[in-house]
Amino acid sequence: MPKKILQKENKVLRQIAEAVNVHDIKTAKIKKVLREMSEALKPQDDGVAIAAPQIGYGLRIFIVSGRIFSAKGGPASGGSVSKEITKNRLIDDRSEKQKDLIFINPKISKLSREKEWLSEGCLSVRPLYGKTFRSKKATIIAYDENGKMFTRGASGLLAQIFQHETDHLNGILFIDHAKDIKEELPKQYAK
């Protein structure tokens, strides 16, 4: 059974997460955390990314679902970060099934000056959505699950995810800086 996703009242979501020692990345402990994060994210139709604090681990790790890379991804249309993924915001459409992206000790190294107001929600702040002012492009430096450092640039939805998940690792929730916050029940619950 997947770990429960913690909600906004939980104190761990307001703490600054600790960096993972690079030598520990390939340990059984970190592999377990990554597996539990992936298992917690997988069944969430309204989520496309998750940070370790959201399942109770105060570690600087987040995962982005491979679903966001496929136009046929179905569940990605209701994102933790963005409620709407239009064709022009999809990042990559080369394969049917993309693997989840893992970011350990991520640091945003560059944000574009150009920003926009975007619809945003969060698996830990259900069922609220609001508008956040995010950079259109972001570059992140992180380690993968094998302890290899990499740099990845992004625009659109992935850039928004980088900013949202990095906020989580710093104890910040999107509702701290969002406007027009509204309660919006998922379609299966709405009457």
Side-chain angles (χ1 to χ4, degrees):
M1 181 157 172
K3 279 195 85 133
K4 187 177 178 199
I5 295 173
L6 304 177
Q7 293 304 299
K8 65 183 178 293
E9 301 78 20
N10 195 292
K11 289 179 184 160
V12 76
L13 294 172
R14 293 306 193 163
Q15 296 167 354
I16 295 175
E18 291 184 28
V20 176
N21 186 315
V22 178
H23 301 294
D24 293 339
I25 290 175
K26 292 168 98 173
T27 64
K29 176 189 172 192
I30 299 302
K31 285 182 179 169
K32 177 180 181 262
V33 171
L34 293 171
R35 185 177 62 254
E36 289 177 356
M37 289 173 68
S38 185
E39 288 169 359
L41 179 60
K42 200 169 285 177
Q44 307 304 319
D45 286 347
D46 59 337
V48 292
I50 194 167
Q54 291 180 272
I55 61 166
Y57 294 107
L59 297 171
R60 298 190 77 78
I61 303 172
F62 71 82
I63 291 179
V64 178
S65 172
R67 295 186 289 217
I68 71 163
F69 298 104
S70 172
K72 299 176 180 89
S77 62
S80 164
V81 169
S82 180
K83 294 187 305 185
E84 301 164 10
I85 300 176
T86 57
K87 285 193 189 297
N88 66 342
R89 291 189 71 193
L90 289 171
I91 298 127
D92 191 350
D93 194 21
R94 287 179 291 195
S95 76
E96 218 31 59
K97 174 89 171 96
Q98 291 265 350
K99 72 177 204 140
D100 294 348
L101 299 179
I102 294 169
F103 297 82
I104 300 171
N105 297 341
K107 284 188 179 117
I108 292 179
S109 62
K110 191 174 180 184
L111 289 172
S112 66
R113 286 192 191 139
E114 195 177 354
K115 295 183 173 197
E116 62 185 329
W117 285 100
L118 299 165
S119 178
E120 198 159 306
C122 179
L123 294 171
S124 291
V125 191
R126 285 175 166 153
L128 302 178
Y129 284 89
K131 298 246 184 242
T132 57
F133 200 53
R134 299 283 193 192
S135 292
K136 286 186 167 189
K137 295 180 181 176
T139 302
I140 203 163
I141 299 168
Y143 290 91
D144 66 14
E145 65 273 26
N146 298 309
K148 184 177 179 218
M149 186 183 273
F150 66 94
T151 301
R152 180 156 189 161
S155 60
L157 177 62
L158 192 56
Q160 185 182 9
I161 291 169
F162 286 176
Q163 294 166 79
H164 178 102
E165 299 304 327
T166 302
D167 278 355
H168 267 302
L169 303 181
N170 293 322
I172 299 166
L173 298 176
F174 88 94
I175 54 173
D176 297 344
H177 54 85
K179 69 175 190 177
D180 301 333
I181 298 170
K182 295 181 189 107
E183 191 170 300
E184 196 171 304
L185 293 173
K187 287 184 177 104
Q188 71 256 35
Y189 301 114
K191 293 188 179 194

